Amino acid sequence: MSEKSFSGPLEPITETCWRIPASYRSGMRVEGRIFADEAMLDQIRSDQAPEQVANVATLPGIQVASLAMPDIHWGYGFCIGGVAATDPEEGGVISPGGVGYDINCGVRLVRTDLRSEDVQPRIADLVGSLFKQVPAGVGTRGPYRFDRKELRRILTDGVRHLQSLGMATEGDIDSTEAGGALRGADPDAVSDRAFERGTDQCGTLGSGNHFLEIQVVEEIHDEQAAAAMHLDVGTICVMIHSGSRGLGYQVCDDALNALRKASSKYGIVLPDKQLSCAPVRSPEGQCYLAAMRAAANYAWCNRQLLMWQTREAIAAFFGNRWESLKMNLVYDVAHNIAKMEDHVVNGQVKRLCVHRKGATRAFPAGNSEIPDRYRKVGQPVIIPGDMGRASWVLVGQPASMELSFGSCCHGAGRVMSRSAAIRQSVGRRIDRELAQQGVIARSRSRTGLAEEQPAAYKDVSRVVDIVHRAGLARKVAKLKPLGVVKG
Amino acid sequence: MRGTGRGGRKRTPDHPGGDGRRSGIDPATDTRETTGLPTQRLGQAMYEFFEHTADVGLRVEAPGLPQLFAEAGQALFAVVVGDLERVVPRCERTIALEADGLEDLLHDWLTELLVLLDVDRLVLCQFDVSLSGSRLSAVVRGEPADPARHDLREEVKAVTYHGLGVERISSGWRAEVILDV
């Protein structure tokens, strides 16, 4: 198998949305819709991602359309950037492939009272300090080791349990999607092997595209929303990207095994084994939901502990307390998850199972899921870009509820395979190139920076521009990376 | 991105996990230099990585199934450790598996190896595999991952089912699998 391009139809619906008609392939129950502009289409056609959008359109109970965000790229099962909502009333299914192995991979943004002039002269030392203190990379253990009883509480109660251990505040919980805990998580649905893999990985970054970045706010596009988040030009922030580590990967793997049998039991024809699924209301579907929620809660605790270590490291570096530096969580969003949410379909409110695989929830102002202080401006949406150019903060817009089940993009989206990125970096020092742009990057892996070099990604600002123009989310602030820690 | 070069039967010149310097090639039977295809490698096994936008595609060929599975294990750990030849086989684990078919067996085998990395922190370099129908038994060897001595590169999150295949070819067997990294 190789990277084949997509030659099927992509018809314009609007200047930011393109259709794969349901007639494209037999078995498609709804059409596919990809949010993109015309200039992006050639790149989108260059791999199998649009075919994956069509595959997802065959899932039983899928509503309205199989969707993809402008950071779409070839994944496994679902494309990365995929959104699909299914209706349990209509036999709608849940698919672990619509969540991914890294359940509740996500990103959080912490703001500080530090200004760029406090940090830039000492950025290399600060990155060095974080590199030492925040566990990252292959085979790295974290400082926290949870026995089975503690892990069960983490899986059930999420960040609330860390609060009882003194490692989370009420403000942290309030600023985390779903309050850092999905209800209905069941540790008994999680295998012994997943527990084993989770024992000492909570509070570790991992490798690949996971990162911790020191960033500075470079542009403000929405004063009111930025003020609600206490962001201003020159504000130093920390962005953390990680997920549910080995525990989540194992939960997904266990579920794929179980649901592959369930798919045939329920007579579901799969275009790709990775799309194995079961009706949401079946025992198999409920079991996966319960385990997936538990893994999601673990992931929120992982990012919370990464933030906790970061707060301690930065406070120590500046000889201050993190509370005094006002290192407060702006928001934490999941971008690999399935959640039961209310959405209007054909004028009727339905409780749907919304899969977001490399897509971020983007609820508009007024939604009851949003913390009070953001209720008037919309849910903060954190969009990491590559480590050379920019990352963005947006807020959800009303059209997201009409067009994308309250979702928008999750990042820049890769355009270059890892091996191609390494080929392109032969004879180059990516760390030095970044340093010339004012970014100090440290990685434990010799190839990590090469694989994650800026050119391997689309320009996140173009991706964000499309969701802004499509009305899914509104630009609030652009952040520039200053320091990067990778596994 | 099939390797076509000199000297390395595990030709992975541009992949995160391999530098193509593994020994064991028999130049007399390696015709890739001229044909670009691994046509005369009876008695040998090889792996290579193919393009995938976000993850790592892995293609393995071998004259027999046990070698195919062993080679897939090598390839998996070549993603994790840049200098696999420096890993010392001083710890041993046994693995016994049964699955519904060869594809599932390959998936389960590689996943089992990932769990040894995650739970026991073992990087593995030797894979003695026996197969009987859809049953696999193996002895694998390696040592605890040590950032001071090993070039630890990439955490493999999982072995996906997307595009997973095991098939007969004229020279033996071929497998393809995509790793989530």
Side-chain angles (χ1 to χ4, degrees):
Chain A
M1 194 172 85
S2 62
E3 190 162 356
K4 288 180 288 197
S5 61
F6 176 76
S7 55
L10 283 175
E11 304 166 349
I13 302 173
T14 65
E15 58 152 8
T16 53
C17 192
W18 304 77
R19 173 190 292 121
I20 303 173
S23 57
Y24 165 59
R25 276 231 321 262
S26 68
M28 285 176 71
R29 297 166 195 261
V30 293
E31 64 188 36
R33 288 181 199 159
I34 299 175
F35 290 91
D37 64 10
E38 193 162 12
M40 270 186 178
L41 291 187
D42 283 349
Q43 192 277 316
I44 287 172
R45 284 184 178 281
S46 70
D47 65 23
Q48 297 177 30
E51 201 67 48
Q52 293 183 316
V53 175
N55 285 344
V56 169
T58 69
L59 291 179
I62 187 166
Q63 302 290 297
V64 185
S66 165
L67 302 168
M69 297 296 129
D71 47 342
I72 177 174
H73 57 276
W74 186 20
Y76 44 84
F78 277 53
C79 66
I80 313 296
V83 176
T86 61
D87 184 358
E89 294 274 349
E90 296 177 18
V93 294
I94 183 160
S95 171
V99 175
Y101 285 96
D102 199 354
I103 294 165
N104 189 6
C105 187
V107 61
R108 65 172 50 194
L109 185 73
V110 185
R111 54 88 58 207
T112 75
D113 263 359
L114 293 164
R115 309 291 301 171
S116 54
E117 56 269 25
D118 301 321
V119 168
Q120 277 188 311
R122 305 174 67 189
I123 185 67
D125 289 342
L126 178 58
V127 170
S129 178
L130 289 166
F131 188 68
K132 253 188 231 158
Q133 291 182 60
V134 178
V138 179
T140 312
R141 287 188 163 90
Y144 311 105
R145 196 175 168 84
F146 297 104
D147 63 20
R148 195 178 175 97
K149 197 174 149 200
E150 291 277 8
L151 267 182
R152 287 181 65 89
R153 295 209 46 198
I154 281 175
L155 298 184
T156 309
D157 300 333
V159 181
R160 186 68 67 188
H161 180 59
L162 295 182
Q163 188 189 25
S164 73
L165 300 175
M167 291 186 288
T169 67
E170 197 60 36
D172 296 340
I173 291 170
D174 191 47
S175 301
T176 304
E177 181 174 333
L182 289 179
R183 280 195 295 266
D186 182 2
D188 289 329
V190 174
S191 68
D192 288 346
R193 175 168 277 189
F195 270 95
E196 272 187 278
R197 294 178 76 172
T199 303
D200 55 9
Q201 288 193 341
C202 206
T204 64
L205 200 58
S207 68
N209 61 359
H210 293 165
F211 66 79
L212 184 156
E213 276 187 16
I214 307 288
Q215 303 172 343
V216 61
V217 177
E218 194 177 49
E219 296 169 9
I220 295 290
H221 292 252
D222 180 324
E223 296 285 349
Q224 188 195 0
M229 299 178 204
H230 301 287
L231 299 178
D232 198 357
V233 171
T235 300
I236 293 292
C237 297
V238 182
M239 191 175 279
I240 295 169
H241 178 209
S242 189
S244 49
R245 315 291 293 112
L247 183 138
Y249 316 156
Q250 189 64 45
V251 165
C252 179
D253 201 64
D254 292 338
L256 284 167
N257 265 323
L259 295 198
R260 277 194 311 131
K261 292 175 187 115
S263 301
S264 52
K265 173 179 162 187
Y266 294 105
I268 301 167
V269 180
L270 298 173
D272 178 350
K273 275 186 184 178
Q274 195 72 33
L275 285 178
S276 61
C277 56
V280 175
R281 290 194 172 156
S282 67
E284 295 90 344
Q286 287 295 307
C287 183
Y288 170 63
L289 254 176
M292 187 272 301
R293 288 166 173 159
N297 294 347
Y298 181 95
W300 273 311
C301 289
N302 182 41
R303 289 197 290 279
Q304 175 69 27
L305 290 176
L306 284 164
M307 178 178 75
W308 202 258
Q309 294 169 87
T310 304
R311 280 173 170 166
E312 288 177 342
I314 291 181
F317 185 83
F318 287 100
N320 210 328
R321 298 173 64 240
W322 70 260
E323 294 91 339
S324 307
L325 294 173
K326 296 202 169 48
M327 292 188 65
N328 297 324
L329 179 58
V330 174
Y331 206 62
D332 177 302
V333 285
H335 54 224
N336 280 3
I337 204 159
K339 291 167 90 175
M340 300 304 299
E341 295 173 355
D342 290 334
H343 290 278
V344 178
V345 178
N346 297 329
Q348 191 190 344
V349 177
K350 290 182 164 190
R351 188 91 179 142
L352 303 179
C353 179
V354 182
H355 300 72
R356 296 191 180 97
K357 165 87 172 287
T360 310
R361 197 186 70 175
F363 282 176
N367 191 291
S368 61
E369 291 273 330
I370 304 176
D372 287 345
R373 68 181 188 284
Y374 300 138
R375 193 72 62 84
K376 284 186 182 161
V377 295
Q379 176 217 306
V381 176
I382 318 291
I383 308 292
D386 63 74
M387 60 188 172
R389 282 174 284 196
S391 290
W392 283 85
V393 179
L394 295 81
V395 283
Q397 286 279 78
S400 76
M401 300 308 274
E402 297 152 27
L403 300 175
S404 61
F405 300 104
S407 314
C408 83
C409 61
H410 87 307
R414 281 194 84 93
V415 287
M416 198 187 281
S417 72
R418 292 171 186 280
S419 47
I422 289 177
R423 270 200 305 277
Q424 287 225 348
S425 65
V426 171
R428 292 163 56 197
R429 283 285 302 267
I430 302 295
D431 56 345
R432 287 186 191 157
E433 291 176 19
L434 286 167
Q436 280 168 4
Q437 299 169 43
V439 183
I440 302 300
R442 298 278 303 271
S443 172
R444 282 183 171 73
S445 154
R446 283 187 208 168
T447 50
L449 294 182
E451 287 181 28
E452 294 292 317
Q453 62 177 291
Y457 287 89
K458 293 179 198 175
D459 180 352
V460 71
S461 297
R462 286 195 54 211
V463 171
V464 162
D465 201 50
I466 289 164
V467 298
H468 180 91
R469 277 158 48 206
L472 306 183
R474 189 171 77 243
K475 295 177 189 177
V476 174
K478 184 181 182 187
L479 298 97
K480 180 192 180 314
L482 297 177
V484 182
V485 172
K486 292 192 69 73
Chain B
M1 56 174 267
R2 184 180 291 282
T4 57
R6 316 144 287 165
R9 72 187 166 101
K10 317 291 193 306
R11 182 68 181 163
T12 59
D14 43 22
H15 183 267
D19 58 8
R21 288 188 286 107
R22 291 278 314 279
S23 60
I25 187 83
D26 178 0
T29 56
D30 182 35
T31 60
R32 283 171 291 162
E33 187 79 54
T34 51
T35 65
L37 294 169
T39 52
Q40 293 183 29
R41 291 172 295 98
L42 291 176
Q44 294 192 13
M46 58 80 76
Y47 63 75
E48 63 184 359
F49 297 96
F50 62 84
E51 301 282 338
H52 186 278
T53 312
D55 298 307
V56 172
L58 168 61
R59 183 177 296 122
V60 187
E61 291 179 11
L65 278 172
Q67 296 105 308
L68 186 84
F69 277 65
E71 197 70 7
Q74 288 277 358
L76 176 70
F77 274 88
V79 176
V80 177
V81 194
D83 47 1
L84 201 53
E85 64 272 19
R86 294 191 59 189
V87 176
V88 181
R90 59 194 170 90
C91 302
E92 190 174 288
R93 295 283 187 281
T94 56
I95 292 172
L97 291 170
E98 187 169 4
D100 286 342
L102 282 174
E103 290 174 359
D104 283 4
L105 194 61
L106 179 67
H107 167 274
D108 293 355
W109 156 245
L110 295 177
T111 301
E112 203 70 27
L113 301 179
L114 284 184
V115 171
L116 287 175
L117 172 64
D118 239 13
V119 177
D120 294 349
R121 299 296 193 276
L122 286 180
V123 285
L124 301 169
C125 60
Q126 284 185 2
F127 308 85
D128 295 335
V129 181
S130 305
L131 280 168
S132 170
S134 57
R135 283 188 189 175
L136 175 150
S137 60
V139 178
V140 299
R141 297 179 196 89
E143 64 177 330
D146 178 0
R149 287 196 303 112
H150 301 134
D151 174 18
L152 298 170
R153 293 188 168 184
E154 198 88 66
E155 180 183 81
V156 177
K157 291 177 183 167
V159 180
T160 79
Y161 289 99
H162 179 63
L164 176 66
V166 178
E167 61 176 356
R168 278 217 79 118
I169 54 173
S170 59
S171 59
W173 291 88
R174 173 189 293 154
E176 289 190 354
V177 60
I178 291 174
L179 307 174
D180 183 7
V181 297

